[in-house]
Amino acid sequence: MKIVLFITIFILLSGCHGVDEMIDPNALVVQKKSNGFATKLDRFDTDLQAVKTIQDRNKVVDDLLNASDMECSSYQYNLNQPQDDTQTDSVYTYLFKKVGQYIGFDIAKDAIEAVSAMSDATLQKSNQDRYTQALKPNIIKAIEIARKKYKKTIQKHKQLDLQHYSIEDVKEDLKAYDKRCSTYYGLLEITNALQKQQEVSNKEIKSIDVEGVKKTIKEVTKEVTKKENIDQNCSIIKEMK
């Protein structure tokens, strides 16, 4: 009996050790240390101050958007970037509720618990990072969609005169455009694609691999749940010592 108990404990401890080694501490998110993506405006100060006509302003707008696109692209592909929005947990909950009908509501419930405040704070951030990294290709596509939508709004604003679309208005538009270079807006667009996946005519939505999203969420949730079960067993064993 003692031998069986010893073997059981040994296996569980081995499982604890193996899972800990699989986690890269450098990949854990530190959400509150980042203010999110923002285009560097310093090099445009002279151009912004020199605006006298609609043409001047619109040229600056185009230059700012081009700079934002280049900097955002670099920002997205940095896999170790901290999450940039304190609402990430709520948007994940929203996404998992919508995907539940496709992957099973039990799995969706486990996914929601994994990223919600019900989890330990460190574990919550670790789980969010797992989903973010696994969904990264689709999040990047979704961010592009979100930014294209807002760029259309900016293009309409370029038709206004200087009084109704001032340099300060341009800066506010740029802030809104930059905000869409975030996991938060990417996840919103992915959720939108899940809701509208039957709309074959919508090319933007179709650029997101909806089936891949469903499969990824299901797989990551199973991994996360398995790890949490192992951690619980580890805790029980430590208390027994």
Side-chain angles (χ1 to χ4, degrees), residues 44 55-69 151 154-155 158 170:
F44 295 100
Q55 289 73 23
D56 293 338
R57 182 203 61 199
N58 289 351
K59 183 181 183 306
V60 173
V61 170
D62 290 339
D63 290 343
L64 288 171
L65 293 180
N66 287 335
S68 179
D69 288 341
K151 184 179 279 189
I154 296 175
Q155 295 298 342
K158 286 169 62 179
V170 170

Side-chain angles (χ1 to χ4, degrees), residues 161-172:
D161 57 35
L162 293 176
Q163 183 179 352
H164 293 93
Y165 191 51
S166 66
I167 291 302
E168 290 306 312
D169 294 326
V170 170
K171 290 180 180 179
E172 288 302 312

Side-chain angles (χ1 to χ4, degrees), residues 47-57 162 167:
D47 294 332
L48 289 167
Q49 293 171 11
V51 169
K52 302 296 181 185
T53 66
I54 293 176
Q55 289 73 23
D56 293 338
R57 182 203 61 199
L162 293 176
I167 291 302

Side-chain angles (χ1 to χ4, degrees), residues 163-210:
Q163 183 179 352
H164 293 93
Y165 191 51
S166 66
I167 291 302
E168 290 306 312
D169 294 326
V170 170
K171 290 180 180 179
E172 288 302 312
D173 260 349
L174 182 64
K175 285 181 184 178
Y177 189 59
D178 284 347
K179 277 179 65 177
R180 283 155 176 78
C181 184
S182 68
T183 298
Y184 175 75
Y185 279 95
L187 292 173
L188 282 180
E189 289 298 333
I190 288 174
T191 307
N192 183 52
L194 281 166
Q195 292 175 307
K196 298 181 178 180
Q197 59 184 300
Q198 303 303 323
E199 297 181 13
V200 181
S201 60
N202 194 320
K203 292 182 180 179
E204 286 187 342
I205 289 175
K206 289 300 175 183
S207 70
I208 295 174
D209 181 8
V210 174

Side-chain angles (χ1 to χ4, degrees), residues 98-117:
K98 295 298 179 184
V99 80
Q101 60 184 306
Y102 305 109
I103 66 174
F105 289 106
D106 288 343
I107 295 175
K109 180 177 175 289
D110 288 340
I112 291 170
E113 289 178 356
V115 298
S116 70

Side-chain angles (χ1 to χ4, degrees), residues 81-148:
Q81 64 168 286
Q83 290 194 34
D84 47 14
D85 201 305
T86 55
Q87 295 175 302
T88 303
D89 54 344
S90 62
V91 76
Y92 261 125
T93 299
Y94 180 56
L95 169 60
F96 294 154
K97 283 181 179 178
K98 295 298 179 184
V99 80
Q101 60 184 306
Y102 305 109
I103 66 174
F105 289 106
D106 288 343
I107 295 175
K109 180 177 175 289
D110 288 340
I112 291 170
E113 289 178 356
V115 298
S116 70
M118 289 183 281
S119 299
D120 171 81
T122 302
L123 183 60
Q124 177 190 14
K125 292 175 183 177
S126 174
N127 289 342
Q128 284 184 3
D129 187 63
R130 282 170 175 259
Y131 285 107
T132 300
Q133 300 307 316
L135 292 169
K136 198 77 178 181
N138 280 294
I139 289 175
I140 289 173
K141 290 178 184 177
I143 286 172
E144 291 173 0
I145 293 172
R147 283 167 64 84
K148 280 181 181 178

